[in-house]
Amino acid sequence: MRKAPLRRSTRQRLSCHSATAAVRLWMLFFFAVTTTTAIAVAHDDDEKTTAKKQLRRYPDISEQGPASLLTSSSVNTMKNTHTHTGNNNDIEWQAPEPYPPLFGFEAHGNPHLPLSPDPLISYTWPSATTNASQLQSYRLTQNHHGFHQRVIFPKSAISILPNGAIQIQDSVTMQWDWGVERAAWFEILLQGITDTDGWKVEMALSEFNSVYPGKRRVPERYPNNKTNRNASESTTYTYRLETNDELYEGVRFTWLYITKTKSQPAANDSQLLLLIDASIVSKIKPISYMGRFASSCPKLTQIWYTGAYGVRLNMEATQFNSVLMERGDRVAIQGDGHPTMATALFAFGGQASSQQSSNSSDAVYDLVWNQLWKTNSGHVHGHHVVDDAIMAYPLYWIGSVLDWYWATGDNAKFAALVPDVLSILDLRIADFMDPNLDIGWMGWDDRLGNGWCYHSNHNNCTREGHLTFGALVAKVTQDVAHALDHLPNNQAQAQHYKQIHKDLIQRYRQLPDYPHCLGVHASGNAISSQIASPSDIKLWMTSTLNDIVTICSWSAFNQYWILQGLGAAEQMEHAIASIQTCWGSMLDTGKGCFYELHSPEWRNFRRDGERLPTTPSMCHPWASGVTAWMSSALTGIKPVTPGYSRFVAAPYVSANYPSVNGTVPTPLGGISVEAIWNAVDDGENEAAATVEITMSSPEHTKGYIGVRKCVSGCKLNFVQINGAVVEPYNCKRLGVLARDWAASMEHNILLITTTRTTKPFEGGETTRVTASYTCSKEPTTTKCNADTSGFPPTHYPASVSMDRATQGDGLFKHGSDGYVLLGINEDESNEENLPSYISSVSIYQHGFTGSAPVNASYAGTSNSNKTYLPYKDSRSLGILGDNDDSRWYPYRNPGIVVDVSASTAAKSSPLPFVGRLAAGQGLMIDVTTKASSANLGGRLASQGFLVDVKTNTSSSSYGKPIPTTAYKLSVYSVAGTGHEQFAIRVMDLTTLNMIAPTLMMDKHQGGVWWTVEYDKSLRLRIMSIYGMHISAVAFSSFESSTSDSAVVE
């Protein structure tokens, strides 16, 4: 999420295969499962303060499959057991806990699904007896659960006893991997330590396998009952790491640091420590999974459940939080919550509120409703909310209001919010596509402006950001008009906004940028908003939206809208491939949730559990919109009327993805659909295929089945219901328009109704339809884990390389045309000797308040250190960077941006170099060729650094060649510490699309030259993982880079 000034919380690769018989049997079982409902009852958050004082007894819970999960009776038994059962000691966990242990559940209410990261995936809570606003908790311990790993260093400092306890003789560090991320806190049982025993205890936690900045602390200590061990009385304590008032953090890894502060006799057992057990306590909202999804491609199934789990972890009693890790911004945020709430409705919706409880209802529908009121910034009932100055966020809030209305069909509550909806929308219609509009923030992706952008800070947003925002206004206008059409007595208003939508389309299409200058974000919104014509879509599908390297936004939050655009264009193979690339790549580097920021290339150099570039949140629910989209677009279940009393089920299957099934929860019950693609040998020359669709829906609903006219190169031939051929109907003939259907979908989807009638299928029945296709050729198939399915092969326009051999003397080669040596003089000034095609280099920080300069640092001079650069008859080195990660908490890690320009236009007042870094998303280097725009300042990394390097077209006084095609830009780095790691992302400066593989720099204490070769303007983002340092930006052309140069003077 975005980083504004700090706020404190106030409560506010899987192998894929075609559908084998075994897979289909599992899917059929999954499809047939019925679920219970759960209740949510309002519960004041302030109760947590009181509850924290209560002593809780926890049932143990395991992730080893259904057989090892607890039944309700075993939970009741465990609740009455006051002892720790990991060894023979009669010891209790004594720290007071804020939430009661799990209770009132059925452990096998849903099937156990190994592809879900949720350890409670099979648990259900009955609606009639569950107060879903009362959060519950469960404990995992090292002695009872073997699914995690434990690392101890040095091992000589401990002895592991037969009962699993650990005897500690000397200073030691222990690490636990608890398998998946949870909303949890860390506790240990430690025996034999007192305040004066000469030992120091510290504890730490993290989402990744190194301590999260600011999360290593001295724990709170709670005395336990005394116990007799080896006939000597020892004191046992519960130690709990308390990093915030709410206790929980995003926890996968934990650490225990025991430091011996004074010498003790080696044989004195009384002075040894005994770690009886270690545990994490996890909070959870007691709700059941009501939506389901399964695909013949297991990765897609895993993605669906990962998105759902990330949302569940961020559910509070009466709101959704924006991030799991407490870093100062764990609050309900208006725009962040849009994908979060959409996924909550599809995964957990349909849970009726209890009518027997005296408490007010607070089921998932009500939870979303509460969130909408808390984040309402409308001018009638609204108020100031977090980040409502971001102009897109109130529009996303409108989108959530509409999502809630279509899910629930509650006319009265929707009508209550309509005045606020229209007050927000009217403002954005009035200033539609105003070039001076302060949209504030559109996304972290460079193409959108990389964070904060305000004219008042001389910090303009990118044109792509403005185009994306304008298309969003048109989309929301269209969606509001469609919803108003279903609200009683609002048809006149609906027609009013329909006409405005048409006017906005015309105005947008007249922009000089349209359609050729739209990037992936703007074109996605232009398709979803009906701005795009078929020819526009065809253009983008051969260019902008047809590159697997550039299709992913830097944040899955923004990717949600690109995905919607691909779906609305009926480019489903591209859409699914983008899911596997943009979201599926996150499964390779973490377990549990999706991330705040991510790039698919990171999986090439980061493994599971490792810290990522820029240290993004690894459990950010705004990245979970893919789950909602898959439920709506791949199962194809969409409402025709709010509340799903009338609906369409048009599932998508193809030769590449031959089966899908799922359930969408509704207030009337779950609507389920299964579709299977079968290749058919008809005995003739033509290839053929069938799609078998099975649909079931609850009583009081009416549904249409949708079949596609064209799919996988095959054309619809005929449709059968129970063997009888029926006539499919055009959507418009029936007057049926499913929610979110774009023109492309209406054109390609035909509706199937009851035999010989145009009436929809009645609920309470199971309907089976077979669609037969004739194929011009045998459909080509690829394995479903081929992320590029639908896209051309991966191609990078630029190449990158590293040179670890030449060290400082590499300046002769890599800087043969010119260079900038950072902070190399004793006064910390830079030395510039630019080539003829470079006019200036500037480095600056970009953040919430705009751009700000800082200076590089002087490291020193040495005649013998070969990592130093040759300079003035000796060797010297300056540095730009930092290796202190902890001081950036709670923001992301340090970063720099370098812009290198080759424009004839000069930028006014270039900023000086910056040295020590503020928190941010990377160092960026922009290189602009002579056709590029000059003014690049103010649209780069939030809380990061920028370096602009601009070129001239005139001849150089130094007589150095002007490159006519490709040139080389090199960055020199000497690691500040042995564990320093950073990565470099390369973008074209005009489009800001990624153009080269991202590489990671590590083990470079001896110096490394990173080089990119390209023939256009470019930008680099250098992203810290564990610190980063750069000392030179150097230039060479192919003609000169192989020759030697004299010592730099």
Side-chain angles (χ1 to χ4, degrees), residues 789-962:
S789 172
F791 287 88
T794 302
H795 171 70
Y796 291 101
S799 62
V800 292
S801 61
M802 286 192 288
D803 168 16
R804 297 180 181 271
T806 61
Q807 298 185 289
D809 287 341
L811 184 60
F812 299 146
K813 172 184 178 180
H814 301 291
S816 57
D817 282 3
Y819 48 79
V820 177
L821 310 182
L822 307 175
I824 200 166
N825 294 305
E826 291 186 12
D827 62 358
E828 299 190 334
S829 62
N830 308 314
E831 184 70 22
E832 292 191 5
N833 183 13
L834 300 182
S836 57
Y837 46 89
I838 301 295
S839 63
S840 67
V841 177
S842 58
I843 305 179
Y844 52 97
Q845 180 186 8
H846 173 219
F848 181 74
T849 57
S851 301
V854 201
N855 292 321
S857 301
Y858 175 68
T861 298
S862 172
N863 292 324
S864 59
N865 192 331
K866 292 185 178 182
T867 66
Y868 280 30
L869 296 164
Y871 184 64
K872 294 183 178 180
D873 297 324
S874 184
R875 292 179 178 274
S876 297
L877 193 71
I879 57 172
L880 182 75
D882 212 317
N883 56 16
D884 181 4
D885 295 323
S886 62
R887 69 190 194 89
W888 308 118
Y889 172 79
Y891 298 110
R892 284 178 298 279
N893 263 7
I896 310 170
V897 175
V898 184
D899 291 351
V900 184
S901 302
S903 174
T904 56
K907 177 185 175 184
S908 60
S909 62
L911 295 167
F913 282 89
V914 297
R916 294 189 62 81
L917 308 177
Q921 300 157 358
L923 168 101
M924 296 166 50
I925 303 179
D926 289 4
V927 182
T928 307
T929 59
K930 42 188 162 182
S932 297
S933 172
N935 190 355
L936 303 170
R939 49 191 188 102
L940 307 174
S942 173
Q943 301 115 24
F945 281 78
L946 309 150
V947 179
D948 294 345
V949 182
K950 301 189 176 181
T951 68
N952 290 318
T953 56
S954 59
S955 297
S956 168
S957 61
Y958 300 101
K960 295 178 180 177
I962 299 175

Side-chain angles (χ1 to χ4, degrees), residues 140-201:
L140 301 175
T141 68
Q142 72 162 6
N143 289 340
H144 285 180
H145 309 96
F147 57 85
H148 61 275
Q149 296 178 337
R150 183 179 65 210
V151 178
I152 302 174
F153 182 84
K155 292 184 178 180
S156 60
I158 61 97
S159 299
I160 301 178
L161 304 183
N163 61 11
I166 299 174
Q167 192 174 63
I168 302 171
Q169 296 94 239
D170 208 340
S171 297
V172 68
T173 297
M174 303 184 194
Q175 180 198 65
W176 289 264
D177 178 356
W178 299 94
V180 298
E181 185 155 352
R182 293 172 170 87
W185 50 95
F186 182 34
E187 298 182 0
I188 63 169
L189 283 174
L190 193 62
Q191 187 180 89
I193 188 170
T194 66
D195 291 334
T196 60
D197 278 339
W199 299 90
K200 180 181 179 182
V201 178

Side-chain angles (χ1 to χ4, degrees), residues 140 172 290 475 859 982:
L140 301 175
V172 68
M290 306 300 288
K475 171 176 169 51
F982 62 89

Side-chain angles (χ1 to χ4, degrees), residues 128-148:
T129 58
T130 304
N131 177 353
S133 68
Q134 182 183 31
L135 303 182
Q136 299 181 17
S137 58
Y138 61 95
R139 184 187 297 276
L140 301 175
T141 68
Q142 72 162 6
N143 289 340
H144 285 180
H145 309 96
F147 57 85
H148 61 275

Side-chain angles (χ1 to χ4, degrees), residues 319-401:
Q319 69 176 38
F320 297 87
N321 280 335
S322 59
V323 59
L324 190 57
M325 183 67 73
E326 173 54 61
R327 57 184 197 181
D329 55 353
R330 194 166 69 189
V331 294
I333 297 182
Q334 187 181 58
D336 284 26
H338 177 56
T340 305
M341 289 185 280
T343 288
L345 292 170
F346 278 104
F348 306 103
Q351 305 195 47
S353 301
S354 171
Q355 302 301 316
Q356 303 174 11
S357 173
S358 60
N359 296 321
S360 60
S361 64
D362 190 22
V364 171
Y365 289 149
D366 301 294
L367 182 65
V368 173
W369 177 254
N370 288 341
Q371 180 89 346
L372 292 173
W373 275 105
K374 284 186 176 184
T375 58
N376 179 4
S377 62
H379 298 171
V380 180
H381 306 107
H383 51 276
H384 174 67
V385 301
V386 176
D387 283 344
D388 55 8
I390 297 175
M391 289 190 176
Y393 271 24
L395 297 178
Y396 294 148
W397 176 84
I398 293 176
S400 293
V401 172

